[in-house]
Each structure stands twice: as structure tokens, then as C-alpha cells.
Amino acid sequence: MSAIAFIGLGHMGGPMAANLVKAGHAVRGFDLSPASLELARAGGVTTVASVGEAVSGAGLVITMLPAGAHVLAVWQELVAIVPPGTLLMDCSTIDMGSARKAHALAAAHGCPALDAPVSGGTGGASAGTLTFMVGGDAAVFAEAKQVLEAMGRRIIHCGDASAGQAAKICNNMILGISMIAVGEAFVLGERLGLSHQALFDVASVSSGQCWSLTTYCPVPGPVPTSPANYGYEPGFAAALMLKDLNLSQAAAEDTGSMTPLGAKAALLYQLFADEGGGEKDFSGIINMLREKSASDTE
Ligand code: NAD
């Protein structure tokens, strides 16, 4: 494939672009932040001073930006300068409305487009083990798959335009809710005199089993690799979980879907962030549940 332009070289985009370089692609990257540019350079990315310079001669443009407004602003700039036929791919996590608008912008300028949000966090971005959830035309997906394989381990075509974003939002709503459920169960178990290990041993092989329990257990001990064992350093920051839950609630409102647990999870993560937990791993919400339980009985 011809050169790749990469716009947005932050915590995720920087290491993703570096993995493309490792796989032998010529990558020209642009970011507004000098610190992000410097880190990308250390990863072998050729950094440039503008979007225009990054996309010159590129057959594929990847964006990895904070939110929908950033993506639409950059894509508006892109479609004005890239030749028709240039493949545009957004890997950011954004709202459904912006994802659809981005696809429409690309289509109006004769550019094939994919939404390809990721799961796997900064660890997965560095290790090249991300999961990509991809929305867009099947033929365009087939064209982009090999590039995605340089950055990820599981590449899933979820359907037409914006289906990848839909999958990301729904998956993370499950995750946000299930982490609170597991946290609540451990706090209740503590008050019932049950050890963490005993609850883990039962629930991990019973019907309470889920990823939040068995891979990312929110209490220290049962799963030695979970952030609970490392002072709840992220991992996946609670502020990002809040962002994704808010995206799920915007989508639920637009579609008239009943998601009462998603709504409650968003409120609880908002409270956790308001009380200073936003930069902690999202599994740290168990500590807020425990603290609030204690004050209720005093
Ligand atoms: P980040 O804030 O570290 O990086 C975003 C980068 O975009 C920054 O370096 C910023 O300077 C740059 N940027 C903003 N506007 C720009 C513009 N107009 N032109 C060029 N660069 C611009 O964020 P991140 O953690 O890398 O996340 C990126 C996306 O990935 C977000 O949508 C996030 O929700 C999603 N995501 C993050 C994680 C995670 O664990 N961090 C996991 C999955 C998905």
C-alpha cells in the first residue's frame, strides 16, 4: 500500500502509527501537540507540520482523535485536499451522529471510508493487539484489513457505515454496567463476611462469571494482573468509561432505546469522576461504592 497519513498521535495513535512503521509502512504523522509529535518520531513516524503535508501522496488516511467534533473538523479539511479514491478511516471513539456525518462527507467527495474504533487500551495499542470493530463497505474493509492487522489481533467487520462505532458503544455499555455489578457484589460480600477469594472462586465458575470479574477483578488478589493490584492506575481511565457511557446514552435517546442500567452506570461514573476518580482505572469505582456504603450506616 502507498504511504499512510496518521492524524492524532496521542496515547493510542502514537503507538498505533509506530506499529504501522514496524510492519514496513511509510507513515507521515501530524498532531497539534509537540509532545505527541516527539513521541511519534521516537517510534519511527515521519512527523510533518500540517494535515496537508501528511496526506500528500497517501492512499490511506487514519484519524485517532478525542471526539466527534475533532474528527469532523479534520475530515472536512481532508476531503477538501485529498484526491477522490483516498481511503479515510477513523479509529476514534465518537458519537453515532458524527460517525454518520464523517461517512457522508467522504462519500460526497468520492472517498471510501471506514469507522474502525478499537478496544484494548494503550497496552493493546503498544503491543499491536487491539480489537478493531469496523463499519463500512465490505470491499473497502477487505482492502484495509491487512493494515489493521499491523495494529490489532482481532479485526471484525460489524456491518455498513458506523456499525463499528455502534458495536464499540454497545460493548462498553456492557462493560461499564458489569464492572459496577461486580463491585457491588464484592462490597455486599464484604458486609456479609465473605472473603474476596471465596466470592471470586464461586462467581468465576458460576452464572455471575464475566470479564469484569475474571480478567479485571476490581479487588486485589484473585486476578494478580488487574489494576486493583496496582493502586487502580489505568488501564482504562474512568473518564474514558464515562465518555463511552455518555455516547451510549446519546445513542439510546436518539433511537428511543430503554437502557436504564446504562443510564445509571453513566451517573455513577460521573459521580466517581466528580469526586476525583476520573484518572483512576474504571474498576476503582468499587472504592466509591464501598465508601458510600460505609457512610450510609454511620
Ligand atoms: P489523546 O488525547 O491521548 O490523543 C488525541 C490526540 O489528538 C492528541 O495528541 C491531540 O493533540 C490530537 N489532536 C486533537 N485535535 C487534533 C487536530 N485537529 N489535529 C491533529 N491532532 C489533533 O487520546 P487517546 O487516549 O489517544 O484516544 C484517542 C481516541 O481513542 C479517543 O476517541 C478515545 O476515546 C479512543 N480510545 C482510547 C482508549 C484509551 O485507553 N486511551 C481506548 C480505546 C479507545
Side-chain angles (χ1 to χ4, degrees):
M1 149 123 19
S2 58
I4 298 173
F6 208 114
I7 319 290
L9 302 164
H11 291 101
M12 297 294 291
M16 288 165 69
N19 279 327
L20 289 174
V21 173
K22 262 189 224 154
H25 296 283
V27 182
R28 272 199 306 276
F30 172 68
D31 195 293
L32 295 175
S33 146
S36 296
L37 286 171
E38 200 176 314
L39 275 177
R41 266 196 298 278
V45 177
T46 303
T47 59
V48 294
S50 68
V51 168
E53 267 187 77
V55 303
S56 169
L60 166 65
V61 184
I62 299 175
T63 49
M64 190 53 163
L65 297 162
H70 307 86
V71 173
L72 287 180
V74 169
W75 278 45
Q76 246 140 14
E77 196 179 341
L78 286 176
V79 294
I81 49 179
V82 299
T86 307
L87 173 49
L88 307 183
M89 177 159 67
D90 180 47
C91 295
S92 329
T93 304
I94 64 173
D95 61 284
M96 295 297 297
S98 298
R100 289 193 196 101
K101 279 186 198 153
H103 274 278
L105 264 177
H109 288 79
C111 292
L114 296 171
D115 51 292
V118 303
S119 121
T122 49
S126 297
T129 55
L130 294 169
T131 295
F132 282 88
M133 298 154 250
V134 189
D137 190 81
V140 180
F141 171 73
E143 196 188 323
K145 193 159 181 258
Q146 204 194 343
V147 171
L148 294 175
E149 279 165 353
M151 301 182 283
R153 189 179 285 158
R154 281 177 294 264
I155 321 294
I156 301 163
H157 186 221
C158 298
D160 289 338
S162 75
Q165 214 57 254
K168 168 78 186 177
I169 288 172
C170 293
N171 178 71
N172 278 23
M173 187 174 78
I174 297 173
L175 178 61
I177 294 169
S178 68
M179 184 53 79
I180 293 170
V182 171
E184 286 183 2
F186 274 109
V187 170
L188 178 60
E190 287 165 10
R191 294 187 157 224
L192 295 172
L194 189 61
S195 75
H196 290 162
Q197 193 63 48
L199 176 54
F200 180 85
D201 288 346
V202 171
S204 62
V205 294
S206 304
S207 41
Q209 190 275 332
C210 63
W211 187 93
S212 292
L213 176 74
T214 54
T215 303
Y216 223 72
C217 188
V219 294
V223 178
T225 50
S226 75
N229 299 282
Y230 303 99
Y232 298 92
E233 287 310 309
F236 185 52
L240 287 173
M241 174 50 81
L242 175 61
K243 172 194 166 181
D244 292 356
L245 284 166
N246 284 336
L247 293 179
S248 79
Q249 292 315 289
E253 197 175 321
D254 283 352
T255 53
S257 309
M258 191 187 174
T259 59
L261 295 184
K264 188 70 184 175
L267 286 175
L268 287 168
Y269 273 102
Q270 183 67 63
L271 186 59
F272 185 48
D274 289 347
E275 294 186 351
E279 299 311 313
K280 287 285 176 192
D281 186 77
F282 80 111
S283 61
I285 199 162
I286 188 174
N287 296 320
M288 183 184 85
L289 297 170
R290 187 184 291 112
E291 279 156 25
K292 293 204 178 296
S293 303
S295 59
D296 285 346
T297 58
E298 276 162 9

